[in-house]
Amino acid sequence: MSPLHFLLLGTLLFGIGLVGVIARRNLFVVYMSIELMLSAVNLLLATFSRIRGDEGGAVLSLLLIAVIAAEAAIFLAMIIALFRAKRSIDAHDFTQLSQEHNA
Amino acid sequence: MSLALLILLPFGSSLLLGMLYLFTSLRSERLYALIGVGAPLLISLIALWLGYGQLQGAESLHVSLFTWLSIDALRIEFALSFDHLSAVMMAFVSVIGTLIHLFAVGYMRGDAGFGKFFAYFNFFMGAMALLVLADNPIILFIGWELVGLASYLLIGFYHRESANVTAANKAFIANRVGDFGFIMALVLLFGAVGEGGFSFSAIEAQIYSVDHALLSLIGVLLFVGAMGKSAQIPLYVWLPDAMAGPTPVSALIHAATMVTAGVYMVARFDFLYVLIPAVGLFIAVIGILSALLSALIATMQSDIKKILAYSTMSQLGYMFVAVGLGAYGAGIFHVFTHAFFKALLFMGVGAVIIALHHEQNIFKMGGLRRFMPLVFYPMLIATLALSGVAPFAGFFSKDAILAAAVASEYPLFGVLGLVVAFLTAYYMMRLLLLVFVAPAKHRHTSLHVSPYLSLPLLPLALGSAVAGFWGMGGAYGGGDALTHFLSLSDYAHHLTHKSEYLLALLSNLIAFAGFALAYRRFASGAREPQPTALFERWILERFYVDALYHALLVVPLRRISLWCERIVDDRFVDGTLGLFSGGYRTLATHFSTLQNGNVRHYALYFLSGVSLLSLLLLWRL
Amino acid sequence: MSESIIFYVLALFLIGGASGMITARRTIFSAASFMLAMIALAGMFALLNQSFLFLAQLLVAVGAIITLSMLVIVSVNISERYIPKEPHLGRDLLLGVVIAAPIVALIITALRTHFAASFAPIPDTFGTLASIGATLFASWVLPFELISLLLLAALIGAVVISRKGERS
């Protein structure tokens, strides 16, 4: 079991999360893809910590879990708000950043 | 100082008139006329006084006002000189110019642009004075150009009619072609002798060191300039059209100022042309061809002013024959006498035109002798003088030219000159008869002629009658006084007295033959000619030279311009610009669809960028 | 040897769960796949001797976050018609792979070149609750306090945002 396996796995997970963010329109899936990417980073941090024998990496990973929790709280609240506003969880329905849809 | 005054007075009064006209509401014709005629009157007095001094054998005057240019070897003084040649030119230019100014007061009465007209007119005089008094070719060229500008302004004086503007443009453009030759000649001349000073006397001193071929080229190029200004083949086309200007302008251009500039310039460069007789021969050929051609055209014209225009061109041809054959004195002599009777003719014609409310067709006139004797008799004298009838002024000068032509190695010039003399007598008598003698074709019963219009004719009539005695040749008891006074480097041969008498007799006979033919055909009136024979049509269409220019120059140029407009401009320039603007618009449209407010797409673009950067890094690592 | 087998099994679950999460059309299937992946990730932490992280991942990520997500999914009660149609899902996924591939490749290249190929020797206490706690409160106090602030802000934010949507 070399560390490289863990690093490869973490990067692959990150890539899968990226693909999810790019490809999916379902807000829930987008949200979970972001969670996946964060978790992939978490795995990498834990691996680094193990490679160096330094527990700082593990602490950082722990703090990251807290960040993930905070992000989840905000994201879910937003999904609820968006769903209430438009009765939709399709990312394509929310285009208010562009000028023409503002009016 | 008085020399500078000759220049400053007309320019100053022109400026003053222009200021008054532009910046004040003063429209008093008296004031404008006082200033406008006063300035030329003053300069004529000065010019006559200075000229009298020259006659008494005073040294020629030189004044250097300031250094105009000083760049390395190029050192141009703004210098004026007053020698015998300038004295003669200046005298008749200023005196006749003054009379024409006086005439213009009557002619332009009531015109809205009265003040403007006199501003231009004085400007014209000033430019001509500068041209005549110039001490070096550069200053002469400045005067030359200013004369061109003034003529442009005056020909297009009635600029609300586009035909007049076209005529003014034509004059200007034809003159520019000539000026190109002139300036090229000056450049070459400067290159050859500029190091040792560039005044006329300095050039004369060095002229022998110049290569003969280069000198010939300079001579020809200078003459190209003269062709433009003095309306010789092939640059004469502007002169007939220049009749669009008010009649005093025609008088000034034809008699006193502009067209004589070419002859003057050749005479001024006599020291140069003496060395290149072959070029002189070329000048003479152009001169005689112009004379013949324009005399032929004049016989068929029905516009009274155009007849005189072609007549001027024809007489200028004579002058160029003279200077071309080395008879510079005779050439200037003819310039001098011609100024009197041609000014008179134009002013008389102007009076007729005013009296008939701007009718210019001679076939619609007639019987005017009764109404305006003060115009008719001076014009009769002028006609006799122009036709070379002894002892009027034109006889002596024309005779001097013909004598030089006959005595030269090419007597053909003399023969053709006599033919031109016959034609001249014919068309002048034709004009006179149709206007004054033939049965009237109009309904006017009384015609008023302002004294401003008729009085200036009288001194000119006197001049036309007696001016020739000054230059009377030895055969008639004179002593070629003018020619000796001018002391130009003549190399023409002289005839024996006997053959000179014979020539005089012949030319007078020929003139009377011309009169007789005209009298037979036109004394009892005639209808406007309908050209039947091919030759007549050719003449009426002015030998199709205008058409030829049109086909050779104007049409191709217009084609090229149109091609440029359609292909180069539309397709190429506009197309390129359109590509930019259109491409930008298209791009913008496409980009605006990219910016659709969909955050997911924004993330896509951003990640695509990151992805491409990653690829780049991977490739570089 | 047994560690290797465990690793590959866990990796299979992780990747399978993640892939299932991004490909499933129904939201609840995605969530279930995601939960599977998160549990497998906790196993990975255990394999890395991070016993405390293993616990935290199970308790917080799986027990709290995933459960909360599923609760929300169920509570908004999304019926079929609210689920995005995503007609070009296959094409979009392919596009995503094409875009993500260079990024992943770059990261892998960087990791391969800059990290040792073997683990460092570690004490027995590595990754235990006591050891992590000592490290946390010895040298990570400030980040720890800041995280608590962040959590507080997120708490208030979540309440405000969801109430705002309620009013409209």
Side-chain angles (χ1 to χ4, degrees):
Chain A
M1 280 319 308
S2 80
L4 201 58
H5 289 86
F6 289 95
L7 293 176
L8 268 176
L9 185 67
T11 314
L12 206 57
L13 283 181
F14 183 83
I16 293 172
L18 210 55
V19 173
V21 169
I22 294 169
R24 295 302 299 260
R25 289 160 63 176
N26 190 324
L27 284 178
F28 274 114
V29 180
V30 172
Y31 150 70
M32 284 186 289
S33 297
I34 293 171
E35 297 271 282
L36 183 64
M37 285 159 78
L38 283 166
S39 299
V41 172
N42 230 347
L43 176 59
L44 290 177
L45 279 172
T47 315
F48 296 155
S49 162
R50 177 72 182 79
I51 290 171
R52 293 168 60 87
D54 184 349
E55 284 182 330
V59 171
L60 209 53
S61 185
L62 182 67
L63 297 180
L64 196 54
I65 290 176
V67 171
I68 293 171
E71 181 259 345
I74 297 291
F75 212 117
L76 288 171
M78 277 169 66
I79 289 177
I80 291 170
L82 290 172
F83 180 74
R84 283 196 181 139
K86 286 231 167 162
R87 288 276 143 197
S88 164
I89 53 165
D90 189 344
H92 278 195
D93 289 342
F94 304 100
T95 56
Q96 276 148 327
L97 276 180
S98 88
Q99 291 266 310
E100 44 197 305
H101 293 282
N102 259 355
Chain B
M1 189 59 227
S2 42
L3 267 190
L5 268 185
L6 284 179
I7 305 290
L8 292 179
L9 264 175
F11 280 132
S13 66
S14 165
L15 192 67
L16 179 66
L17 288 168
M19 299 282 237
L20 283 176
Y21 181 77
L22 280 179
F23 300 121
T24 70
S25 52
L26 269 178
R27 287 293 177 268
S28 155
E29 291 192 357
R30 270 163 200 255
L31 178 70
Y32 285 121
L34 193 68
I35 301 173
V37 179
L41 187 66
L42 271 176
I43 65 167
S44 348
L45 291 177
I46 297 172
L48 285 177
W49 174 58
L50 290 173
Y52 181 73
Q54 294 290 308
L55 264 182
Q56 297 302 308
E59 288 277 301
S60 56
L61 304 171
H62 289 275
V63 177
S64 183
L65 295 181
F66 54 89
T67 302
W68 189 52
L69 273 181
S70 178
I71 306 168
D72 200 20
L74 179 66
R75 188 176 161 81
I76 308 297
E77 296 283 332
F78 198 96
L80 307 174
S81 75
F82 195 80
D83 58 4
H84 291 181
L85 180 57
S86 317
V88 172
M89 289 294 290
M90 200 61 216
F92 81 80
V93 164
S94 58
V95 170
I96 293 175
T98 307
L99 291 172
I100 296 172
H101 274 71
L102 202 59
F103 173 79
V105 172
Y107 190 89
M108 297 304 289
R109 170 169 293 167
D111 193 288
F114 193 85
K116 183 169 74 167
F117 183 82
F118 275 95
Y120 289 168
F121 236 41
N122 280 358
F123 179 69
F124 207 155
M125 288 293 288
M128 193 63 196
L130 186 64
L131 195 161
V132 170
L133 295 175
D135 190 39
N136 61 52
I138 303 287
I139 303 301
L140 189 145
F141 185 68
I142 295 174
W144 184 274
E145 289 295 305
L146 290 181
V147 166
L149 170 64
S151 69
Y152 167 78
L153 292 172
L154 285 167
I155 292 168
F157 186 72
Y158 296 127
H159 54 80
R160 292 214 163 72
E161 277 179 44
S162 67
N164 296 347
V165 177
T166 311
N169 283 340
K170 197 170 178 181
F172 202 71
I173 291 165
N175 267 299
R176 300 246 41 102
V177 177
D179 293 344
F180 177 74
F182 194 172
I183 205 162
M184 285 296 121
L186 289 189
V187 168
L188 288 176
L189 194 60
F190 188 85
V193 304
E195 303 270 319
F198 207 48
S199 72
F200 283 112
S201 46
I203 297 171
E204 188 171 358
Q206 304 168 70
I207 200 74
Y208 297 98
S209 64
V210 183
D211 178 52
H212 188 265
L214 181 62
L215 212 56
S216 302
L217 182 60
I218 293 173
V220 170
L221 286 171
L222 277 177
F223 180 59
V224 169
M227 278 177 187
K229 202 61 83 189
S230 293
Q232 295 298 294
I233 291 175
L235 295 178
Y236 71 91
V237 286
W238 65 272
L239 192 67
D241 290 21
M243 294 298 114
T247 308
V249 175
S250 312
L252 200 58
I253 288 179
H254 285 244
T257 55
M258 186 163 168
V259 294
T260 59
V263 184
Y264 167 77
M265 192 260 281
V266 173
R268 184 46 93 187
F269 279 103
D270 61 341
F271 55 83
L272 191 153
Y273 282 103
V274 161
L275 300 177
I276 40 174
V279 175
L281 193 63
F282 168 67
I283 294 177
V285 169
I286 293 285
I288 197 71
L289 284 180
S290 302
L292 203 57
L293 180 83
S294 51
L296 275 173
I297 295 172
T299 58
M300 292 292 289
Q301 292 292 311
S302 52
D303 184 318
I304 189 164
K305 283 176 78 178
K306 289 208 167 155
I307 295 174
L308 291 184
Y310 283 110
S311 147
T312 302
M313 188 181 147
S314 169
Q315 298 304 309
L316 286 165
Y318 267 129
M319 298 167 199
F320 277 110
V321 169
V323 295
L325 293 177
Y328 299 105
I332 294 295
F333 183 28
H334 198 51
V335 169
F336 175 69
T337 55
H338 175 255
F340 285 96
F341 48 76
K342 190 47 66 67
L344 197 167
L345 285 171
F346 265 111
M347 284 151 73
V349 160
V352 167
I353 290 172
I354 284 282
L356 293 179
H357 304 290
H358 293 278
E359 175 56 60
Q360 297 198 6
N361 190 335
I362 50 171
F363 290 97
K364 294 182 179 164
M365 300 176 182
L368 293 180
R369 185 175 48 168
R370 269 188 307 132
F371 303 117
M372 34 179 76
L374 270 182
V375 175
F376 172 66
Y377 290 107
M379 276 188 74
L380 180 63
I381 293 174
T383 302
L384 291 175
L386 177 58
S387 308
V389 172
F392 295 101
F395 166 70
F396 294 106
S397 54
K398 200 181 264 187
D399 187 61
I401 293 173
L402 287 176
V406 170
S408 72
E409 294 157 47
Y410 311 95
L412 186 62
F413 285 120
V415 176
L416 290 174
L418 285 172
V419 173
V420 174
F422 170 76
L423 291 170
T424 308
Y426 169 74
Y427 67 68
M428 281 316 296
M429 191 46 78
R430 169 176 175 264
L431 185 154
L432 209 64
L433 289 172
L434 282 173
V435 174
F436 289 100
V437 180
K441 300 271 181 62
H442 54 86
R443 303 236 174 81
H444 303 289
T445 49
S446 75
L447 293 169
H448 175 71
V449 179
S450 151
Y452 278 112
L453 297 179
S454 55
L455 285 182
L457 301 186
L458 300 180
L460 286 175
L462 186 68
S464 306
V466 303
F469 294 118
W470 191 19
M472 201 158 59
Y476 311 106
D480 284 321
L482 180 67
T483 309
H484 287 137
F485 176 65
L486 289 170
S487 58
L488 296 164
S489 21
D490 286 9
Y491 57 86
H493 306 283
H494 289 282
L495 286 178
T496 60
H497 285 190
K498 204 162 134 197
S499 32
E500 189 134 345
Y501 292 136
L502 208 64
L503 181 67
L505 185 67
L506 193 61
S507 71
N508 271 299
L509 279 179
I510 279 175
F512 278 108
F515 289 159
L517 183 63
Y519 189 82
R520 245 195 78 208
R521 294 184 65 173
F522 299 109
S524 49
R527 276 182 296 125
E528 200 163 349
Q530 298 300 322
T532 45
L534 182 67
F535 189 58
E536 283 181 333
R537 209 159 9 176
W538 270 40
I539 293 175
L540 205 63
E541 289 297 323
R542 308 167 190 177
F543 293 95
Y544 295 101
V545 172
D546 274 312
L548 190 71
Y549 280 6
H550 189 77
L552 282 184
L553 298 174
V554 179
V555 171
L557 201 64
R558 182 172 292 162
R559 291 253 171 81
I560 293 170
S561 305
L562 275 178
W563 183 81
C564 283
E565 189 202 343
R566 290 207 191 118
I567 308 296
V568 177
D569 192 56
D570 272 16
R571 298 265 170 80
F572 195 72
V573 179
D574 285 1
T576 314
L577 289 179
L579 215 62
F580 280 125
S581 68
Y584 185 72
R585 178 184 288 267
T586 318
L587 270 180
T589 316
H590 284 296
F591 274 126
S592 81
T593 60
L594 284 185
Q595 189 172 9
N596 53 7
N598 194 329
V599 185
R600 201 176 132 258
H601 286 172
Y602 295 175
L604 185 70
Y605 313 144
F606 154 63
L607 288 173
S608 305
V610 174
S611 175
L612 285 175
L613 275 177
S614 308
L615 268 180
L616 181 74
L617 283 172
L618 278 172
W619 176 63
R620 293 291 295 268
L621 282 172
Chain C
M1 190 64 216
S2 59
E3 275 190 353
S4 270
I5 294 169
I6 296 172
F7 174 81
Y8 283 115
V9 171
L10 284 178
L12 197 68
F13 273 103
L14 246 179
I15 293 172
S19 307
M21 186 266 286
I22 62 164
T23 48
R25 285 190 177 269
R26 295 195 58 178
T27 315
I28 200 75
F29 288 171
S30 285
S33 306
F34 186 50
M35 192 161 88
L36 197 64
M38 287 296 106
I39 292 168
L41 185 62
M44 283 294 174
F45 287 145
L47 267 184
L48 285 165
N49 292 44
Q50 307 282 11
S51 52
F52 178 63
L53 273 184
F54 166 73
L55 271 178
Q57 174 74 11
L58 272 186
L59 287 175
V60 181
V62 181
I65 300 172
I66 303 288
T67 315
L68 178 68
S69 305
M70 288 183 122
L71 200 66
V72 170
I73 292 168
V74 174
S75 72
V76 296
N77 195 14
I78 295 166
S79 60
E80 280 296 318
R81 65 194 167 99
Y82 292 133
I83 293 174
K85 287 290 171 287
E86 301 190 83
H88 308 295
L89 185 60
R91 190 201 68 187
D92 285 355
L93 282 171
L94 196 66
L95 180 70
V97 170
V98 167
I99 288 176
I103 303 175
V104 171
L106 184 69
I107 295 171
I108 288 174
T109 314
L111 291 176
R112 282 174 73 121
T113 37
H114 291 283
F115 285 93
S118 62
F119 291 121
I122 44 164
D124 287 343
T125 55
F126 184 83
T128 58
L129 185 57
S131 172
I132 294 282
T135 314
L136 182 63
F137 290 105
S139 46
W140 294 86
V141 179
L142 188 61
F144 177 75
E145 290 301 329
L146 288 177
I147 284 293
S148 64
L149 266 180
L150 180 76
L151 282 171
L152 182 64
L155 178 75
I156 298 167
V159 172
V160 170
I161 289 170
S162 48
R163 276 182 61 98
K164 201 176 187 175
E166 193 174 40
R167 232 179 293 149
S168 70

